[in-house]
């Protein structure tokens, strides 16, 4: 499988490190970060590129842009893991469109293009007979999309409830357990590297709302966007409010909910009993899928992180490899 990787942040580096460590059957024929790029049809040494990136801050030739790599490299799958822009979806959307139009599969962790152009990109992929897979956009390492598409294929999913932002969960846990202020807990969360480049996406509930949008569009073929979700973040929550909940054996978690028959798409802080299945500590994510046959299925796992997100990306690439095996 020949792959191109756009983005050398924590996810891109996680993918390259996993390719090396696990000796995965992928040949990397192109890589780009925001300042440089490299194209080599005979295969790029992931270790060398990571060393260059660490030492020089760039991965290749400053004259080569990400879109040049999309257009010029020879590959089967584009791995689009550049930084999310939830307002414009760019430049990732252009990378994805261009690769699909070249007849290449796409695997991405980039939430912007999926939240803004879901239907268009899915239709474009269908038209060009390629796969567009995005397991890594929702709940990091948790195989949510594979579970929905495969394991629960015979079910009708009636509702979803989830803790979909690790940064908020970490902040709420630290405020409850250590009595930290919101500001102190946010500083810690940023140091852990889980927060978005702009952490207001996390604390204002936008990141969780984007994930609700992606899930709703995937599960129920909706055509909704961020503006269809009622969003309240955790940025105005006080330690006193959390203490009050704790005194009643409850706690507060930022919950994403989608219940189509109630016309409900919402992200908001909710008071939950401490023994509720969605009350988890630290940066964990969790998602309950309420189904007709299987009942409630709750998935729990790491919602972010370099190797954890790489796990979702690699799963998608291997899925494509298996699906298209034997085709030219
Ligand atoms: N900032 C996100 C979070 C990263 O904290 O969950 C994963 O999407």
């Amino acid at each position: 499988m020949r792959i191109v990787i756009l983005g050398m942040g924590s996810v891109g580096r996680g993918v390259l490190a996993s390719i090396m460590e696990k000796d995965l059957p992928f040949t990397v024929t192109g890589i780009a970060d925001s300042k440089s790029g490299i194209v080599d049809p005979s295969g790029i040494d992931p270790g060398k590129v990571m060393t260059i990136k660490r030492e020089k801050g760039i991965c290749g030739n400053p004259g080569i842009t990400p879109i040049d790599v999309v257009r010029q490299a020879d590959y089967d799958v584009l791995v689009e893991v550049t930084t999310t822009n939830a307002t414009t979806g760019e430049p990732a959307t252009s990378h994805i469109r261009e690769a699909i139009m070249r007849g290449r599969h796409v695997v991405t962790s980039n939430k912007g293009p999926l939240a803004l152009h879901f239907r268009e990109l899915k239709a474009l992929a269908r038209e060009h007979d390629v796969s567009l897979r995005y397991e890594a956009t929702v709940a990091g390492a948790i195989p949510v999309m594979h579970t929905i598409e495969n394991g629960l294929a015979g079910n009708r999913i009636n509702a979803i409830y989830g803790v979909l932002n690790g940064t908020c969960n970490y902040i709420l846990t630290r405020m409850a357990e250590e009595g930290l202020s919101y500001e102190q807990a946010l500083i810690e969360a940023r140091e852990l590297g889980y927060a978005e480049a702009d952490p207001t996406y996390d604390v204002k509930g936008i990141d969780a709302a984007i994930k609700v949008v992606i899930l709703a569009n995937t599960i129920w073929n909706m055509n909704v966007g961020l503006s269809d979700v009622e969003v309240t973040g955790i940025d105005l929550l006080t330690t006193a409010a959390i203490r009050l909940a704790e005194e009643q054996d409850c706690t507060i978690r930022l919950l994403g909910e989608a219940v189509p028959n109630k016309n409900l798409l919402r992200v908001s802080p909710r008071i939950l009993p401490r023994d509720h299945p969605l009350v988890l500590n630290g940066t964990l994510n969790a998602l309950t899928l309420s189904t007709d046959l299987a009942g409630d299925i709750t998935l729990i796992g790491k919602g972010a992180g370099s190797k954890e997100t790489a796990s979702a990306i690699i799963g998608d690439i291997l899925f494509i490899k298996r699906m298209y095996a034997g085709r030219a």
Side-chain angles (χ1 to χ4, degrees):
M1 208 75 176
R2 294 160 307 164
I3 67 170
V4 150
I5 302 177
L6 299 188
M8 281 282 281
S10 128
V11 182
R13 292 198 304 270
V15 173
L16 284 172
S18 303
I19 291 174
M20 284 194 303
E21 278 165 32
K22 301 173 83 73
D23 201 16
L24 294 168
F26 307 151
T27 306
V28 183
T29 56
I31 302 183
D33 56 23
S34 56
K35 301 187 199 89
S36 68
I38 169 169
V39 172
D40 185 346
S42 63
I44 298 162
D45 179 342
K48 257 192 204 159
V49 175
M50 290 217 284
T51 308
I52 294 170
K53 177 78 181 171
R54 208 170 33 244
E55 288 172 358
K56 299 190 177 159
I58 56 172
C59 69
N61 180 341
I64 301 179
T65 65
I67 201 77
D68 292 336
V69 176
V70 175
R71 288 179 182 148
Q72 290 165 18
D74 225 349
Y75 57 99
D76 305 295
V77 182
L78 169 72
V79 178
E80 217 297 349
V81 293
T82 62
T83 310
T84 288
N85 181 323
T87 315
T88 66
E90 292 296 353
T93 306
S94 298
H95 301 154
I96 293 173
R97 277 197 197 109
E98 190 84 19
I100 292 176
M101 288 189 298
R102 285 194 68 197
R104 302 321 200 249
H105 306 291
V106 174
V107 170
T108 187
S109 60
N110 205 314
K111 291 165 261 191
L114 272 306
L116 293 164
H117 308 289
F118 188 85
R119 280 220 172 154
E120 178 222 316
L121 294 175
K122 290 290 275 187
L124 196 65
R126 251 193 319 275
E127 187 190 322
H128 290 269
D129 192 22
V130 294
S131 255
L132 166 62
R133 301 200 59 86
Y134 49 91
E135 180 70 79
T137 57
V138 176
I142 307 178
V144 176
M145 303 299 169
H146 287 272
T147 303
I148 291 167
E149 273 182 85
N150 302 303
L152 296 177
N155 285 260
R156 185 179 67 235
I157 297 173
N158 295 318
I160 54 166
Y161 306 92
V163 168
L164 299 170
N165 185 272
T167 301
C168 289
N169 210 63
Y170 181 83
I171 293 172
L172 293 172
T173 306
R174 295 290 285 156
M175 285 172 78
E177 283 183 356
E178 305 295 330
L180 289 192
S181 71
Y182 161 79
E183 289 80 12
Q184 286 168 309
L186 174 58
I187 290 170
E188 280 191 10
R190 291 192 75 179
E191 279 166 9
L192 274 174
Y194 274 66
E196 296 300 299
D198 175 0
T200 54
Y201 275 22
D202 296 292
V203 296
K204 287 194 177 293
I206 299 164
D207 176 74
I210 289 172
K211 292 164 180 165
V212 167
V213 164
I214 296 173
L215 285 169
N217 288 341
T218 302
I219 298 172
W220 298 293
N221 195 25
M222 287 184 175
N223 193 17
V224 291
L226 199 49
S227 59
D228 298 300
V229 187
E230 198 186 311
V231 189
T232 312
I234 62 158
D235 48 331
L236 301 177
L237 263 187
T238 60
T239 314
I242 296 179
R243 202 172 308 125
L244 214 60
E246 296 273 329
E247 276 166 19
Q248 290 161 54
D249 248 348
C250 290
T251 195
I252 298 180
R253 288 292 181 263
L254 185 74
L255 211 65
E257 301 167 88
V259 189
N261 70 7
K262 289 189 186 160
N263 265 331
L264 178 75
L265 291 175
R266 180 170 62 195
V267 169
S268 60
R270 305 298 299 273
I271 298 175
L272 298 173
R274 258 203 294 238
D275 59 358
H276 190 282
L278 294 177
V279 173
L280 302 156
N281 287 343
T283 52
L284 285 175
N285 278 198
L287 182 71
T288 298
L289 301 147
S290 287
T291 73
D292 59 348
L293 299 178
D296 281 2
I297 300 273
T298 300
L299 305 165
I300 298 172
K302 295 199 174 156
S306 178
K307 286 201 172 172
E308 292 81 356
T309 311
S311 159
I313 298 275
I314 290 162
D316 275 346
I317 304 172
L318 290 173
F319 181 87
I320 292 172
K321 185 170 159 53
R322 222 172 292 142
M323 225 172 92
Y324 289 80
R327 290 172 64 166

